[in-house]
Each structure stands twice: as structure tokens, then as C-alpha cells.
Amino acid sequence: MSIDSLRRSARATVSGLPAGFWWLWLSTLVNRTGAFVLTFLSLYLTQELGHSAWFAGLVLALHGLGGVAGSPLGGTLTDKWGRRPTMVTMHLVTASCAAALALVSTGWGVAAVVLVMGVSMQAVRPSISATITDMVPEHDRRRAFALNYWALNLGFAVAAFGGGAAIFLGYRTLFVIEAVAVTLCALIVFLRLPETRPEARRNPAGEIVEKDRVSVLDVLRDAPFRTLVLLNLLVCLVFTAPWVGLPLSMAAAGLEPGAYGAVIAVNGVVIVAFQLLVNKVTEKRSPTVLLTVSSLLFAVGTGATALAGTPLVFAATVVVWTIGEMVHVPTNAAATAKLAPEHARGRYQGVMGMSWALSGFLAPILAGWVVDGPGPDYLWMGTAVLGAVAAIGYTTRLRKALADDTPAGTPAEADTPAGTPAGTPAGTPADASPALTKAVGTAREPEPQDAVS
């Protein structure tokens, strides 16, 4: 493939999206560039404050537990209050929590702040996903979610590399920098992003149409969507397991801790370098096929970890499940957007977010229990089975619900993005280089329910 063809492919990948999307993309990049708290929190608790590794794990689990509550809260606020005010408010709460961590020195004080931070960080995600859905026509949504996910990982790469280099400044300084970055993210949203929430339909008496009154329980009664959420939970459990089990498996194989840092860095390198190419290859494929294939890639990649014994082979397994991640995250986000009615997009994204948050809470506990009990090989056999079950579920249960009614490349019925004036030119992303380093022993928080920040 020539340089010119690569350039044309890259231009096609980023062209045609509304300007508002690129402001949201920039806010994601800024937000994640300052993502130091979760990256270095365990080191801060153990090295700076002198707590045990068990307590550090508990605090991180509380962050996931906060996300379980924050996701439906954010979805409800997104639909009732609006996308923009929800984003701004939750970003500011997150910034306040990051700043508070620079001041709080007691273990349980840190735990309380991290719990609130888990609520606010997860609560903002349904509003971001709903905004992308509002702005971007259906035939471009998977590409938009993939681009936003790419920004998220690029920002995390900068944070991991920059935070590792700047750690001599002290953990508290890094937390202040995160507070500043998230505040800047909130300012970008407040100043540049239009509100895109559709107006509620009302009867002649001015009351909201009854069938548009949707609760979280109503969302869970939607059988196809409920199936999508449950299958995504299985995939999320598989995806989260390596962040706990991989370093333990490598240690059991007699490898040094430094080898884990090099191996897990492959995940970020592959995403930053190849996400746009993967999106180009998959853009016209059936979402059911893509979700099935990604589940199988997760199953094969994690399952093969049981056979690995050298850093090179461990790295190869990471490449396999990382490709599954790149396919799954934007496809699942677009599938959620497809199944959600216009007036309940926030709630649907919020319920989907619960599957990511719940896996972030359960997977570390379950993975640790299996590794300490039956052993690491049983963990990888279990993830392979879960991935295969998810693949079967996508193929047999969701083929009809996710069938494309609109041919690829054909504008959807509402082709003018909400909140974008006619004739608004598409923006272009800031130049960014695919540099990436992931800190040794730090686990990247599973994202994405929707490729969002």
C-alpha cells in the first residue's frame, strides 16, 4: 500500500463528521492526557501512604462500585437534564475529587473520595455517548465511536508516559494536574459543545407523552437490548481478567516484573497505531459478525495465555485480544445507539455502562480468587469459555435485532446532526503521534462502554 493510499484512507476515516464531534473528541483527549489518579493510585496508597496491597485493591474496587451507581444516574440526568450540563457537572465533580486527593492523607478519606470519583467518572459517559449518537448519522456512528476510543487511548498513553517521567514531582502534584486537565475538559464542553438532547414530545396539555417516560427498569425490559448488555458483561469480564491475571501468570512462569510492563504496553501501542486501520477494514461489516468475531478473539487471545511461557508469546496473546478490543468497543457502542429510542439514549447508554462498571468491580475479585485457588491456567480456560459463549450469543440472539436496515454509506433518516447548524463544516482532529508507554504494574481502567472518556 502506497503512502498516498494510506493518506487517502486516513482522510476518509476522519472526514465528514460534524465540528461538534471534534470538540468532544478534543475534550476526551485532554481529559485522558491528565488521567493520573487511577494510573498511579495503587502506588500512591502503598508507597506514599504505606497501606497494604489489599487495601489498595479495595480502594480501586470502590471506584468500580461507584461506577455501578454512576452509570444509570448519568443516563437519567442525560435524558432529563441534558447532555451538556451533565458532562460539565460530572467533569467538575471529578476534577474536585482529583484535587481533594492531593489534600486527603487518611486511607479511608482517600477511599471515600475515590468512591465519589467512580460515580462521577462513570456518570459522564452516557452523556458523551448520547451526544455522539445525536450528532452523527447512523451510518457514521461506529467510525465516530472508534475515533473517540482512539483519542481516549492516545490520551492515556501520554498520561502513562508523562506521569512516569514526572513522578519525581510527587503523586499529589500529578493529582493536581489531573484536576486542571479535567477542568479544561469541562470548559471545552461548556464553551464549544452544543446541547443535542431532542425535545420531549408533549400532548396538547403540555405533558410528556406517556410512552416516552422511560425508567431504568423499562430499559431492562427491552429484550434485545438486555441480551446485548448481558453478552457485553461476559466480554467485559474476559477483557478485564488479563489486567489482574497476566502479571500473576508471568510471575508464575518465572519472568521478572519488568517483563509485564513491556508486554502490557503492547495493548496500547497496537490500539494507538492501528485503531483507525481496523475501523477502515470493519466499517462495512455486519455488527453481529463483528461482535461475534471480537468475542472469539478475546476467547482465543486470553485462552492462549495458559500456553505462553516467554515474553514474546505473552505479547502475542495480548495482540490477539487487543484486536478484539478494537473491534468490540466501537461496535458495541454503535449497537447500543441503534437499539436506543431517541428520547431514552442516555438511559440506554447508562444501563450498558453498568455492565462495564460491574465487570470492573467483579473481575479483579474473581480473577484473584481463581489464581489463588485452582491456578492461573483455570482462569484462562474460563475466559476462553466465556468468550465463546458470548460469540454464540451474539450469533444466535442478536442477528435480527442488529441487522442493518440502512446500506453502508447511505445517510440515515435524520442525516443532519442534532445541534449542528446546516452547512457547519466538519472539523479535523489535532495532530497526534502514536507514542505509548504503559506504567509497569498499572491497570488501564476498562473503558468503554462506548469508547468514551
Side-chain angles (χ1 to χ4, degrees):
M1 182 177 287
S2 67
I3 298 297
D4 285 342
S5 62
L6 287 174
R7 188 180 295 114
R8 287 194 299 270
S9 178
R11 188 181 298 116
T13 299
V14 301
S15 65
L17 297 173
F21 168 80
W22 291 112
W23 285 113
L24 186 63
W25 185 92
L26 179 62
S27 73
T28 297
L29 182 63
V30 170
N31 188 358
R32 298 304 292 177
T33 299
F36 298 124
V37 169
L38 292 181
T39 306
F40 297 102
L41 184 60
S42 60
L43 294 176
Y44 172 64
L45 286 166
T46 54
Q47 296 182 2
E48 183 89 0
L49 300 184
H51 292 287
S52 66
W54 173 86
F55 184 78
L58 174 64
V59 172
L60 289 171
L62 286 175
H63 183 276
L65 188 62
V68 175
S71 195
L73 171 65
T76 300
L77 291 177
T78 294
D79 286 335
K80 288 191 172 182
W81 193 14
R83 282 71 159 132
R84 189 161 157 263
T86 301
M87 271 188 267
V88 171
T89 301
M90 293 306 166
H91 281 318
L92 292 178
V93 172
T94 299
S96 300
C97 290
L101 287 175
L103 302 174
V104 177
S105 57
T106 65
W108 290 110
V110 171
V113 173
V114 170
L115 177 64
V116 176
M117 198 172 188
V119 174
S120 61
M121 288 183 69
Q122 192 68 30
V124 79
R125 290 171 180 159
S127 58
I128 295 173
S129 297
T131 299
I132 293 175
T133 305
D134 296 337
M135 282 185 168
V136 179
E138 184 176 348
H139 64 281
D140 278 333
R141 283 178 192 156
R142 193 189 307 165
R143 175 163 63 101
F145 282 116
L147 286 167
N148 205 62
Y149 192 60
W150 182 65
L152 185 150
N153 281 277
L154 181 60
F156 183 87
V158 174
F161 179 77
I167 202 144
F168 65 89
L169 296 173
Y171 294 105
R172 296 173 190 268
T173 302
L174 294 181
F175 298 160
V176 170
I177 294 173
E178 171 155 359
V180 173
V182 180
T183 301
L184 179 58
C185 170
L187 283 174
I188 292 172
V189 172
F190 180 74
L191 296 175
R192 304 302 305 179
L193 201 66
E195 175 57 59
T196 62
R197 182 184 61 165
E199 289 294 329
R201 296 185 300 170
R202 298 181 181 274
N203 60 26
E207 300 170 334
I208 296 177
V209 176
E210 186 61 33
K211 71 175 183 178
D212 287 355
R213 298 180 185 274
V214 178
S215 68
V216 172
L217 289 178
D218 292 326
V219 175
L220 291 173
R221 293 189 185 104
D222 183 335
F225 181 68
R226 184 175 64 243
T227 301
L228 183 69
V229 171
L230 292 174
L231 292 175
N232 187 65
L233 176 60
L234 295 182
V235 172
C236 291
L237 289 171
V238 175
F239 167 58
T240 308
W243 300 97
V244 178
L246 184 59
L248 300 177
S249 289
M250 293 183 69
L255 300 175
E256 295 295 324
Y260 169 71
V263 168
I264 203 61
V266 170
N267 171 260
V269 170
V270 171
I271 291 175
V272 173
F274 297 107
Q275 178 70 69
L276 301 185
L277 176 61
V278 168
N279 183 61
K280 185 66 177 176
V281 171
T282 61
E283 64 180 348
K284 295 183 180 180
R285 307 295 179 184
S286 160
T288 305
V289 170
L290 293 177
L291 290 170
T292 301
V293 170
S294 64
S295 299
L296 291 174
L297 288 170
F298 276 119
V300 172
T302 58
T305 307
L307 306 176
T310 66
L312 183 61
V313 178
F314 277 113
T317 67
V318 172
V319 170
V320 174
W321 60 256
T322 297
I323 296 173
E325 177 187 352
M326 289 190 289
V327 174
H328 179 86
V329 172
T331 305
N332 182 72
T336 302
K338 180 181 182 65
L339 294 180
E342 184 181 77
H343 58 278
R345 284 170 176 164
R347 291 175 178 85
Y348 271 67
Q349 295 289 356
V351 170
M352 177 57 71
M354 287 178 66
S355 64
W356 289 93
L358 190 60
S359 70
F361 176 69
L362 291 177
I365 298 172
L366 295 175
W369 177 76
V370 173
V371 170
D372 284 342
D377 289 352
Y378 287 89
L379 172 65
W380 306 124
M381 287 188 288
T383 58
V385 170
L386 288 180
V389 169
I392 294 171
Y394 284 123
T395 300
T396 60
R397 305 291 295 175
L398 289 175
R399 182 179 297 276
K400 183 177 180 181
L402 297 181
D404 266 329
D405 298 321
T406 306
T410 302
E413 183 178 344
D415 211 347
T416 302
T420 304
T424 300
T428 55
D431 292 333
S433 61
L436 176 79
T437 301
K438 287 197 176 178
V440 176
T442 58
R444 179 166 60 86
E445 180 196 10
E447 296 294 351
Q449 93 258 28
D450 325 40
V452 299
S453 67

